Amino acid sequence: MGRLFGTDGVRGLANRDITAELALNLSVAAAHVLGDRGDFAGHRPRAVVGRDPRASGEFLSAAVIAGLASAGVDVHDAGVLPTPAIAYLTAELDADLGVVLSASHNPMPDNGIKFFARGGHKLDDAIEDAIEAQLDAQWQRPTGADVGRVVPLTDGPARYVAHLVSALPNRLDGLHVVIDAAHGAASIVSPQAFRAAGATVDVIGADPDGLNINDGYGSTHLGMLQSAVVEKGADLGIAHDGDADRCLAVDHTGAPVDGDQIMSILAVAMREQGTLAHDTLVATVMSNLGMFQAMDREGITVRQTGVGDRYVLEDMKAGGYSLGGEQSGHVVLLQHGTTGDGTLTGLMLAARVRATGRPLRELAEVMSRLPQKMINVKGVDKNAVEANEPVQAAVAQASQELSGTGRVLLRKSGTEPVVRVMVEAQTPEEASAVCHRLADVVREHLSL
């Protein structure tokens, strides 16, 4: 059996991979492991639990809450809120841990369980392994007054929105923004935050029914937002994913602005404001080569990490850096949050547009993206990628072909059962041809 935790918690098909039993047992194990680390002795441990609007989140959050309370943890039930809101509230309430039920950008049938430690920080691998090892351990159940109590966290949204608005360097008055909430966890709080900051807001994809999350809307489906921005004559559009830890954008012409462009814009802005610690941006190996070239021209250092915002965060905290993220739109502003926050990122991007008076399209020209092609290869043994000689030989050959003009990245996904093949080259045709060739090699040699 492989490791239970992936790059972003435990994720899979709800009620088959992610069951109520697993949710309950994991929450008990997390209470014990994080309890030991948080020195629960002498006080009642507390947790904040939230979820995205998936139908399965209703019974999974109930199971998590039951597990925590049975282990003697008092629970603040925050209901439907973005993942970064739960991280913030865990810190704000000085809770011992936080739990989020969400599969982020994945389709509705999936769900996931993600934990935060005290302070709203993601767990490192060693702590996740300790939680997994604790699953089958014997434990003494509290009884009577020692069991945990459960209370609704009714002011959670208001606390979170106030935090977001207070982080802005300037207001958004006069700016017209369209928000696509992906029928997800930010359907209410993101529009509230933008309006509180002074923007005129139109909203799409904000009618979650438990079944429509990420379905045709949000950061993985920008078409509806592109049309809405142009139709309404807005200055820009902001797209979230299901749990709103991501932000992608659309300029006034409907052109997409990805996470690399957003990070580049914010890096230049923060460097000008003196808030870009060590004049350094932390990004993953998936970021476009054009971003690295642009930041070099701007005198900004870029550090590379493995894929996953948790690894970006680890590097940021270790080096004292203030900005990092991923091409997918996970952007971490460490001065204001402990994890990627799509609403905060969108607000900061809009604030830069408002402060400069320049359209987002012009700001995004700080970098030129090299043509990039990515294929997610399904039905293969993703764990055999690094050890398979024919696959690695094909990667080496393609890398040599593109030396100096592009690059190849082939890796297993940490959140989905796929192998990701990514190629950058001087032309879209070259990137596509090399990417498809490598994908065929992966299918041939790693098929299940």
Side-chain angles (χ1 to χ4, degrees), residues 121-325:
H121 298 286
K122 288 192 173 184
L123 310 185
D124 60 33
D125 289 345
I127 302 305
E128 289 181 340
D129 290 342
I131 292 173
E132 187 170 345
Q134 187 72 22
L135 278 174
D136 298 321
Q138 296 295 315
W139 57 289
Q140 185 68 39
R141 295 176 180 272
T143 59
D146 291 332
V147 301
R149 305 298 298 272
V150 182
V151 295
L153 186 60
T154 55
D155 65 345
R159 285 174 179 256
Y160 177 57
V161 168
H163 157 68
L164 294 173
V165 176
S166 70
L168 286 177
N170 55 270
R171 288 184 55 80
L172 308 183
D173 301 87
L175 212 57
H176 184 181
V177 181
V178 180
I179 295 173
D180 181 350
H183 296 307
S187 294
I188 295 175
V189 292
S190 184
Q192 283 181 343
F194 274 84
R195 289 177 178 131
T200 298
V201 179
D202 285 299
V203 188
I204 63 173
D207 297 299
D209 61 9
L211 306 177
N212 59 1
I213 190 170
N214 298 320
D215 186 8
Y217 287 84
S219 61
T220 54
H221 305 280
L222 289 178
M224 297 297 288
L225 180 61
Q226 291 171 296
S227 298
V229 167
V230 174
E231 177 186 339
K232 297 178 182 298
D235 296 298
L236 70 153
I238 298 296
H240 302 307
D241 61 338
D243 71 336
D245 60 357
R246 293 187 184 193
C247 168
L248 294 182
V250 169
D251 70 24
H252 72 285
T253 72
V257 178
D258 71 10
D260 288 340
Q261 293 168 297
I262 292 171
M263 287 190 291
S264 298
I265 293 168
L266 295 183
V268 172
M270 291 172 65
R271 197 264 314 274
E272 290 179 3
Q273 297 160 3
T275 58
L276 185 66
H278 309 296
D279 287 343
T280 296
L281 166 66
V282 181
T284 78
V285 293
M286 290 295 289
S287 279
N288 192 276
L289 186 59
M291 188 192 78
F292 296 99
Q293 295 169 341
M295 294 298 94
D296 184 62
R297 290 193 301 270
E298 293 288 337
I300 294 172
T301 300
V302 181
R303 292 179 56 84
Q304 294 187 64
T305 74
V307 176
D309 65 333
R310 60 180 295 180
Y311 302 115
V312 171
L313 267 167
E314 287 175 5
D315 196 77
M316 290 177 69
K317 289 189 287 187
Y321 306 116
S322 54
L323 177 66

Side-chain angles (χ1 to χ4, degrees), residues 12 29 40 95 131 171 189 294 301 346 349 372-373 389 412 421 436:
F40 281 1
I131 292 173
R171 288 184 55 80
V189 292
T301 300
L349 185 66
Q372 186 181 81
K373 177 68 176 180
E389 292 184 4
K412 66 178 181 180
V421 182
H436 279 282

Side-chain angles (χ1 to χ4, degrees), residues 6 9 33 38 46 48 56 70 88 98 155 159 181 189 198 224 239 243 288 349 397 412 417 441 445:
V33 172
R46 292 188 299 150
V48 179
S56 60
S70 74
Y88 167 73
D155 65 345
R159 285 174 179 256
V189 292
M224 297 297 288
D243 71 336
N288 192 276
L349 185 66
Q397 180 182 345
K412 66 178 181 180
V441 173
H445 294 281

Side-chain angles (χ1 to χ4, degrees), residues 384-409:
V385 167
E386 295 179 358
N388 188 276
E389 292 184 4
V391 170
Q392 292 304 315
V395 170
Q397 180 182 345
S399 297
Q400 185 175 8
E401 291 175 13
L402 297 172
S403 179
T405 62
R407 64 179 181 135
V408 172
L409 182 64

Side-chain angles (χ1 to χ4, degrees), residues 72 82 209 223 230 272 330 342 350 353 382 427:
D209 61 9
V230 174
E272 290 179 3
H330 282 107
V353 172
K382 70 176 186 178
T427 67

